[in-house]
Amino acid sequence: MAESAQIALDDEIWAAGRDQAHGEMSIAEAVDWSCHFYGHLFSVEGPTDAEASPAQTLGQILARSGVDGLTKTDGRYVVVFRDKRSGKVTVCGDPVGLMSVFYAKIGGGFAIATDINSLLALPEMSREPDPSSIAGFLTCSRYKLLVDTTFYRDIKKIPSNHAVLLNGDDLTIHRYWLPDISQDNPVMVSDEEVVETARQMMLDATQDRVKGEGPLAAALSGGFDSSSVVSMMRHLDESKSRPFTTISFNFGSDEADEDDLIDAVSEMHNTEHHRLNVLEKPFFTEMDAIIEANAGPVLESGVLLLWKKKAELARLGMTASLSGLGGDELFMGRMNFLADEVSKFHFRTAWREIRAVYPFDSSTGKRTSLKKLLKANVLSPLEPYAIKNYRQAGPGKKYPPSWVQGNLVDQGVLDGNLPRAAPPRASTVYQQDCWEVFYYELLNGGITYHSIAGDGTGIDTRFPLLDRKLIEYMFRVPRRLKISDGKVRHVQQEAMRPFLPPELLRDHLKKDFHPVLDAHLRREYTEMLEPLFAAKSHLSDDFVDWDALREPYQAFLDGKAKPYSLWVALCLERWLELKT
């Protein structure tokens, strides 16, 4: 890497090895290395110098153990390490990948940034779009998420838990952290010890993220995860007098709002609670700001909700907030473990588990279909990939979707085969699914949306349930302590029992706000889409078959389908308009 190679961080251009500091960026100098750091370092396992800055601490780890040494750290950070003797450079985010890092080769050098717009601001940077990324985005497949690419051909993303290693002109990508997803090393202690360990890990992770003085803030939806985080935050506040602001969405409907549960938690822990009436104003108001902050369309319209919530926290004077994101992925799981039981000929166990949710599932309050249970949780997971690809269909979905231009496959822009998850591979269907949901949908989906909304509104969001040590532990906890006999969250429920009000610990049905939201949005979607359907041409015509989109559009208006396809097409069209 040349001495003049550029590093763009926090909207600034940095030359490798330059002895400067900016904002939260700090630089530690030693005889043989320099280290740039941006973000938060929460904890490090093993001996450390209490007086050292985060940059010095990480620099010492990297100098001593290389990038693999970062597997014993917890935080939300970006680090750039340069070995002065060899000139080799290491660039990565924290082990879990809670902060996005983008990079590009330009002008014979190398540039990195925590957001794409910093790179696009460079005069040498090409703005040529990447057709493959655009086409993959439209398929709404978890395996087509932008894990290592962006919507720009020359700008790449460092995948979560990976590092870029630079040696002269050579660039390599190295995965340096991975929880044990094999189940070859399960936790072998009593159930009570598992609960106690998980409880302490959750408390430690929360403590790391609320250190210091000043007001507390957190999302409080009435769900188990957000309620747990709020309860732990107040439990750790020894004075019990620290100002504490909580916030929730209000949809104006008993079918969607969890007012009784929210009030129980807020009153128990003396928080100043704010309800954000998200349907009072046009819902899509922030769409352009979100597209511009992301430098491209976003897959989930739910990022609009995040933006509204964080903007309200900023209006209230907050700068940081805690979230319960990650609880579902770590403490639950899905019933595709039935496929594992059947493949091992454990038919009696499989039938017992089926009977726990058939013909009535107490967790949803709905009747269930034996045919659908077996198809979704046994037949589909065990169906060979070759047969799925021959049928051109995954679990009930054709690929590519009808609204994606069919000639993209012929042009080589989009692979016609069903997308597959990249390695690693777990030893069970259940564990593999847990990893894929965690990696693709959470780290490269939900976390990304939080970052977009947080950066755009100035709110630093922290996720105690995504603490690295807790993640590693929960991937080793046996499945039966997460989901079995029709029950979920055994470890989490028992761990949080001392801190939660009784209303949260009793069995209750979690409300789904999406039907209420979708019903409200039918008019707004109509107002935005009808002119596009009437138009003779669109900027997105190379990717979207607008005639084919009429069918899912009508199904949405009739209340028979979700608006996923409508959102991605609308978002893509709007991005292309803003680009031009």
Side-chain angles (χ1 to χ4, degrees):
M1 177 175 172
E3 184 66 22
S4 61
Q6 293 174 318
I7 298 173
L9 282 176
D10 196 29
D11 299 322
E12 292 289 321
I13 307 304
W14 292 77
R18 184 182 296 170
D19 300 332
Q20 298 185 41
H22 172 74
E24 294 186 61
M25 179 77 69
S26 59
I27 300 176
E29 290 297 334
V31 175
D32 296 320
W33 54 265
S34 62
C35 188
H36 306 244
F37 166 85
Y38 176 68
H40 305 287
L41 178 64
F42 294 128
S43 63
V44 179
E45 293 180 54
T48 59
D49 181 356
E51 301 299 320
S53 69
Q56 290 170 328
T57 298
L58 293 176
Q60 290 164 3
I61 292 172
L62 286 160
R64 181 174 61 248
S65 306
V67 69
D68 292 333
L70 298 182
T71 58
K72 298 302 181 182
T73 69
D74 278 297
R76 182 175 180 267
Y77 63 79
V78 174
V79 63
V80 182
F81 176 85
R82 181 173 182 265
D83 185 322
K84 290 183 176 179
R85 292 170 299 178
S86 66
K88 295 179 181 179
V89 175
T90 299
V91 183
C92 64
D94 58 86
V96 180
L98 299 180
M99 186 172 286
S100 298
V101 192
F102 305 94
Y103 67 95
K105 289 185 175 182
I106 55 171
F110 181 80
I112 70 168
T114 54
D115 70 282
I116 298 172
N117 287 308
S118 292
L119 295 178
L120 292 174
L122 300 176
E124 310 97 317
M125 181 59 63
S126 168
R127 291 175 169 264
E128 184 179 359
D130 182 357
S132 295
S133 295
I134 295 172
F137 162 81
L138 287 173
T139 67
C140 300
S141 167
R142 72 160 65 150
Y143 305 132
K144 290 292 186 180
L145 289 175
L146 306 188
V147 171
D148 57 0
T149 62
T150 72
F151 292 108
Y152 294 89
R153 191 187 295 273
D154 293 338
I155 300 178
K156 308 300 180 184
K157 180 180 180 182
I158 301 179
S160 296
N161 52 57
H162 287 67
V164 163
L165 308 179
L166 290 163
N167 185 10
D169 292 331
D170 295 332
L171 183 154
T172 58
I173 306 291
H174 170 68
R175 184 198 294 274
Y176 75 94
W177 175 80
L178 181 71
D180 186 353
I181 66 172
S182 67
Q183 283 287 284
D184 293 336
N185 183 32
V187 174
M188 300 294 287
V189 296
S190 68
D191 294 359
E192 292 75 17
E193 289 176 281
V194 171
V195 168
E196 189 62 36
T197 300
R199 177 189 296 125
Q200 192 58 54
M201 284 185 169
M202 293 166 73
L203 286 169
D204 289 345
T206 305
Q207 179 70 77
D208 286 339
R209 289 154 180 81
V210 296
K211 287 179 180 177
E213 300 179 353
L216 299 167
L220 178 57
S221 68
F224 204 89
D225 298 323
S226 65
S227 298
S228 296
V229 168
V230 167
S231 297
M232 288 189 292
M233 290 171 71
R234 184 56 94 191
H235 170 76
L236 293 166
D237 175 26
E238 295 182 359
S239 69
K240 301 294 185 289
S241 60
R242 196 171 171 182
F244 197 168
T245 297
T246 52
I247 189 169
S248 67
F249 300 125
N250 180 43
F251 295 94
S253 170
D254 290 338
E255 297 177 17
D257 297 325
E258 302 273 13
D259 290 340
D260 53 340
L261 300 179
I262 291 170
D263 290 342
V265 176
S266 179
E267 291 171 8
M268 180 178 183
H269 298 301
N270 188 30
T271 78
E272 180 182 311
H273 190 72
H274 295 260
R275 286 179 168 82
L276 182 58
N277 299 319
V278 292
L279 303 183
E280 283 187 350
K281 300 177 181 178
F283 189 76
F284 292 113
T285 301
E286 297 87 356
M287 176 187 275
D288 286 0
I290 288 168
I291 291 173
E292 290 175 344
N294 188 48
V298 294
L299 186 63
E300 292 281 355
S301 60
V303 72
L304 291 162
L305 288 170
L306 293 177
W307 190 287
K308 295 173 191 291
K309 178 167 59 179
K310 295 179 194 296
E312 179 66 10
L313 285 171
R315 189 189 69 80
L316 293 169
M318 302 295 114
T319 58
S321 175
L322 267 64
S323 166
L325 191 70
D328 288 351
E329 291 78 5
L330 289 183
F331 292 97
M332 289 175 52
R334 300 189 292 188
M335 286 199 66
N336 50 22
F337 70 85
L338 291 174
D340 297 316
E341 300 298 333
V342 170
S343 67
K344 297 174 183 177
F345 303 105
H346 297 167
F347 299 121
R348 182 175 298 178
T349 302
W351 181 241
R352 188 191 74 234
E353 294 285 356
I354 291 172
R355 287 301 306 271
V357 296
Y358 171 79
F360 181 82
D361 186 346
S362 60
S363 68
T364 63
K366 298 178 181 179
R367 293 189 64 84
T368 56
S369 161
L370 182 59
K371 179 180 178 180
K372 290 181 179 179
L373 276 172
L374 293 175
K375 182 178 180 180
N377 299 300
V378 179
L379 299 179
S380 181
L382 295 179
E383 184 181 21
Y385 172 77
I387 295 178
K388 290 180 181 178
N389 198 48
Y390 175 77
R391 297 191 300 107
Q392 285 286 288
K397 296 181 180 178
K398 291 288 184 181
Y399 184 87
S402 61
W403 59 84
V404 178
Q405 286 286 11
N407 60 3
L408 293 175
V409 173
D410 299 332
Q411 296 169 2
V413 175
L414 184 68
D415 189 350
N417 292 329
L418 287 168
R420 303 184 74 174
R425 296 277 184 252
S427 56
T428 65
V429 168
Y430 172 80
Q431 197 76 345
Q432 183 69 30
D433 184 68
C434 285
W435 166 249
E436 290 176 12
V437 170
F438 176 81
Y439 182 71
Y440 289 99
E441 298 184 15
L442 179 59
L443 297 190
N444 291 286
I447 290 296
T448 302
Y449 308 145
H450 270 278
S451 295
I452 295 166
D455 292 345
T457 58
I459 295 294
D460 171 26
T461 307
R462 303 174 187 178
F463 310 96
L465 301 186
L466 290 177
D467 183 84
R468 175 193 55 81
K469 296 183 290 296
L470 179 62
I471 293 168
E472 291 174 346
Y473 187 75
M474 289 309 301
F475 265 100
R476 293 178 55 224
V477 167
R479 185 269 308 164
R480 66 176 179 80
L481 294 179
K482 299 181 182 181
I483 178 171
S484 63
D485 298 322
K487 303 292 184 181
V488 295
R489 298 182 185 272
H490 172 75
V491 170
Q492 190 182 17
Q493 284 192 337
E494 292 305 309
M496 292 295 99
R497 190 171 292 278
F499 313 125
L500 289 171
E503 292 90 336
L504 266 295
L505 295 167
R506 289 195 292 264
D507 287 340
H508 65 277
L509 302 180
K510 175 65 177 174
K511 295 179 181 179
D512 182 4
F513 65 80
H514 289 96
V516 172
L517 177 60
D518 289 347
H520 174 85
L521 290 182
R522 287 190 180 102
R523 177 180 56 80
E524 290 197 39
Y525 267 111
T526 299
E527 291 175 354
M528 300 182 75
L529 286 170
E530 283 295 344
L532 290 172
F533 283 125
K536 294 182 179 180
S537 64
H538 314 82
L539 294 174
S540 57
D541 280 339
D542 288 342
F543 301 96
V544 178
D545 185 336
W546 283 89
D547 287 335
L549 199 63
R550 287 183 176 275
E551 182 177 346
Y553 172 61
Q554 189 59 51
F556 172 65
L557 295 182
D558 294 339
K560 298 177 180 179
K562 296 289 185 180
Y564 298 131
S565 58
L566 311 180
W567 167 260
V568 294
L570 180 62
C571 210
L572 174 62
E573 179 71 15
R574 186 58 185 151
W575 172 58
L576 294 173
E577 290 175 2
L578 292 171
K579 270 184 91 274
T580 56

